[in-house]
Amino acid sequence: MDPLVLAAGTALVTAMATDAWQDARAGVVALWRRFRPEQAEVVEGELVEAHAELLTARQAGDVETERALAGLWQVRLAHLLREAPESAAELRRLLDEELTPLLSVTEQTRIGSIVMKAVVRDQGRLYQAGRDQHINER
């Protein structure tokens, strides 16, 4: 799945549990109104339902429901990108400028993504890491 979609879906669901939930909802609904206006009302209703489910899950300590909701919104966002590829730049803006700032520093770190690509030629060595890397060669 597209790293943008993964990050945006996770950020959206995480933002649902914040005091700024209404801002997150408004941003996502505005995205749909711009690219798929006929679906905007349904999406808004689904967001309201997901928000209620998330709050209930958090009270019960149910992390699986939270993960499932993030997956659901990742799929919804992936469908939007597939139907309207031109929405990708706006989704990136929504993630960077509206959703991510609503989250704590810890939550912002959790939604990030790393994409690494590498090519080795002539039997060279390649080392890549998303975090710490320790190499002990003799």
Side-chain angles (χ1 to χ4, degrees):
M1 192 174 279
D2 186 319
L4 172 60
V5 167
L6 293 171
T10 302
L12 171 60
V13 171
T14 303
M16 286 179 182
T18 70
D19 291 337
W21 151 240
Q22 298 297 333
D23 294 334
R25 184 189 60 148
V28 172
V29 171
L31 179 70
W32 252 271
R33 283 196 204 292
R34 182 166 176 205
F35 294 100
R36 287 292 178 255
E38 70 282 359
Q39 299 173 0
E41 274 190 48
V42 170
V43 166
E44 186 167 19
E46 290 174 349
L47 284 167
V48 170
E49 288 177 20
H51 174 247
E53 283 182 58
L54 177 67
L55 294 180
T56 301
R58 284 222 169 162
Q59 278 185 321
D62 180 2
V63 295
E64 292 304 315
T65 295
E66 187 167 350
R67 282 190 200 119
L69 287 168
L72 172 72
W73 283 99
Q74 289 164 352
V75 169
R76 292 286 286 149
L77 291 165
H79 286 196
L80 177 65
L81 287 183
R82 191 170 32 257
E83 294 169 3
E86 66 277 13
S87 67
E90 184 62 21
L91 179 58
R92 169 56 65 191
R93 187 205 62 74
L94 175 68
L95 175 63
D96 293 344
E97 297 176 16
E98 294 185 43
L99 296 177
T100 301
L102 299 175
L103 309 178
S104 71
V105 174
T106 302
E107 291 167 331
Q108 288 178 19
T109 303
R110 190 172 64 108
I111 65 153
S113 63
I114 297 172
V115 177
M116 297 188 293
K117 297 180 182 180
V119 175
V120 176
R121 292 192 174 94
D122 300 324
Q123 297 181 359
R125 289 192 176 143
L126 172 70
Y127 303 98
Q128 288 185 305
R131 262 204 56 150
D132 300 341
Q133 184 176 61
H134 303 279
I135 300 167
N136 296 316
E137 294 181 353
R138 298 191 192 271

